[in-house]
Amino acid sequence: MRTATTVEVSDNARDTLNFVVEAEAMGLDVCWVAEAWGSDAPSVLGYLAARTERILLGSGIIQLGTRTPVAIGQAALTLADLSGGRFLLGLGASGPQVIEGLHGVRFERPLTRMRETVQIVRQVFAGEKISFSGKQFQIPLPGEARPMRLSKAANPDIPIYLATLSPRMLELTGEIADGWLGTSFVPEGAHAYFDHLDAGLTASARTRADLDICQGAEIALFDDEDRMREHIRGRTMELAFSIGGMGSAGTNFYNAAYGRQGWSGVTGEIRDRWQAGDREGAAALVTDEMVLATTLIGTEPMVRERLRVWRDAGVDTVRMYPAGETLDDKLATLGRGIELVREIG
């Protein structure tokens, strides 16, 4: 398995840079840069491209609706050039709260928008004149405009990863993407994802070997179970937020994903309590087992065994979010995580 992490620049950009540079020195394979509702990803990726030499750099993710497909393609070509071919383009639909509430763009037809965006971006990568007529995009618009191509050289080999959770989006990922950026992953319930990914792969005459399964989770290592359980209790609120508060009351892809993986009996109640303002009540419904099932938290033997389960379930790239109070703590956790992945092969 390959190793990866995700960073997002907060108030201390220097710590982020130092973290990535040290992670590269440790042998980390991929660093994804998040965008969410904080810093933008392309600016950070350009900066990191100038400060690193070997590590792959990916947008994890650029959100559909925040840029036109051609602007996404321009950024990807530029970053691939600046990094010497080390760039991976990660795309995601996000959700109505961010897309409509923050960007003022309608969150409509995300499946169609994703498919058409990838089609247009691949035209950009191929160096073609960009001409597209779809349900979401028409390029060029009717009138005097004519199809144009970018002045940058073509680069059709830039991999495209999709961050998806819903069944139809997962199927689309298997059909058209080079990789899947997964989250909220329970290997024992992996069929909730892989059945749909495999259906898309079959539709495009491909196999699982054609899709990089990149799965992410927090990693935290402990010497004893008492400290581990204390750490887990601190994570129940975060998981309650994912299940109950991500997205909107009517659209929460995380809630649905956890429901499909075996917790449908409690995900609705967590959402209802969170949306009613009872966050403590929502967190109280999150069990230790739910946290452990979707993370790499535990003693070293526990995490080593969990990594084997991930590997056997079909994960190709482990995306680790290292726990720690300081930069040194996080780097130490990440470094040991890299070693554990190497140990299991």
Side-chain angles (χ1 to χ4, degrees):
M1 291 190 292
R2 294 196 304 182
T3 56
T5 193
T6 295
V7 300
E8 181 179 5
V9 174
S10 57
D11 293 333
N12 194 333
R14 180 60 56 183
D15 273 359
T16 301
L17 170 62
N18 290 338
F19 177 84
V20 177
V21 170
E22 289 299 320
E24 180 180 50
M26 291 175 178
L28 191 77
D29 296 305
V30 189
C31 178
W32 296 93
V33 176
E35 193 165 80
W37 45 88
S39 59
D40 75 289
S43 297
V44 179
L45 286 161
Y47 186 74
L48 292 174
R51 298 295 192 274
T52 55
E53 297 178 356
R54 177 197 56 82
I55 196 169
L56 297 175
L57 300 169
S59 58
I61 56 171
I62 289 177
Q63 302 151 328
L64 304 187
T66 62
R67 301 164 180 84
T68 68
V70 173
I72 292 172
Q74 286 178 296
L77 284 173
T78 302
L79 289 165
D81 190 13
L82 291 173
S83 65
R86 293 183 286 132
F87 177 67
L88 312 171
L89 175 61
L91 300 173
S94 190
Q97 180 57 51
V98 172
I99 298 303
E100 296 189 357
L102 184 62
H103 294 285
V105 176
R106 287 294 178 196
F107 185 77
E108 57 186 8
R109 294 181 173 176
L111 184 73
T112 300
R113 183 181 287 271
M114 180 73 84
R115 180 184 292 277
E116 293 187 2
T117 294
V118 172
Q119 289 173 328
I120 295 167
V121 165
R122 287 214 160 108
Q123 282 191 26
V124 174
F125 290 174
E128 301 172 0
K129 286 188 176 180
I130 302 157
S131 179
F132 189 85
S133 181
K135 294 180 180 178
Q136 289 293 115
F137 302 104
Q138 185 166 359
I139 305 172
L141 292 174
E144 298 182 2
R146 295 292 180 267
M148 297 174 59
R149 62 166 55 90
L150 298 187
S151 59
K152 287 192 66 63
N155 187 349
D157 297 326
I158 299 173
I160 297 178
Y161 285 65
L162 301 184
T164 54
L165 285 170
S166 68
R168 294 177 68 193
M169 278 290 201
L170 289 163
E171 188 169 338
L172 180 67
T173 302
E175 180 185 346
I176 68 173
D178 300 297
W180 174 50
L181 292 174
T183 188
S184 306
F185 179 74
V186 182
E188 292 82 1
H191 63 87
Y193 294 120
F194 289 153
D195 286 355
H196 305 294
L197 289 169
D198 289 341
L201 288 165
T202 299
S204 58
R206 303 197 301 164
T207 68
R208 193 80 66 78
D210 297 306
L211 189 71
D212 179 26
I213 304 296
C214 179
Q215 185 54 236
E218 178 186 357
I219 181 169
L221 302 169
F222 297 93
D223 297 328
D224 63 79
E225 291 199 12
D226 288 340
R227 290 181 58 236
M228 178 192 75
R229 294 291 174 184
E230 181 180 353
H231 182 82
I232 290 171
R233 284 191 289 273
R235 292 296 178 264
T236 56
M237 184 65 74
E238 295 177 11
L239 186 48
F241 168 66
S242 294
I243 296 173
M246 283 291 284
S248 64
T251 305
N252 184 329
F253 300 114
Y254 294 90
N255 183 286
Y258 278 98
R260 290 194 303 273
Q261 292 180 100
W263 286 296
S264 58
V266 71
T267 52
E269 181 64 20
I270 292 173
R271 179 198 58 222
D272 292 345
R273 290 191 183 188
W274 189 279
Q275 294 296 327
D278 182 12
R279 297 186 177 186
E280 294 294 337
L285 295 174
V286 177
T287 65
D288 289 2
E289 288 66 31
M290 291 175 70
V291 175
L292 288 171
T294 54
T295 64
L296 296 169
I297 296 173
T299 63
E300 282 199 9
M302 289 173 61
V303 172
R304 185 184 292 108
E305 180 57 32
R306 201 64 185 156
L307 284 168
R308 289 193 181 99
V309 173
W310 279 37
R311 178 199 61 193
D312 295 344
V315 174
D316 301 303
T317 302
V318 180
R319 197 169 71 254
M320 295 177 281
Y321 314 138
E325 294 297 323
T326 67
L327 176 63
D328 287 343
D329 290 342
K330 292 177 181 178
L331 284 169
T333 300
L334 180 64
R336 187 58 186 136
I338 293 171
E339 291 172 353
L340 290 173
V341 172
R342 289 172 179 166
E343 286 176 14
I344 68 167

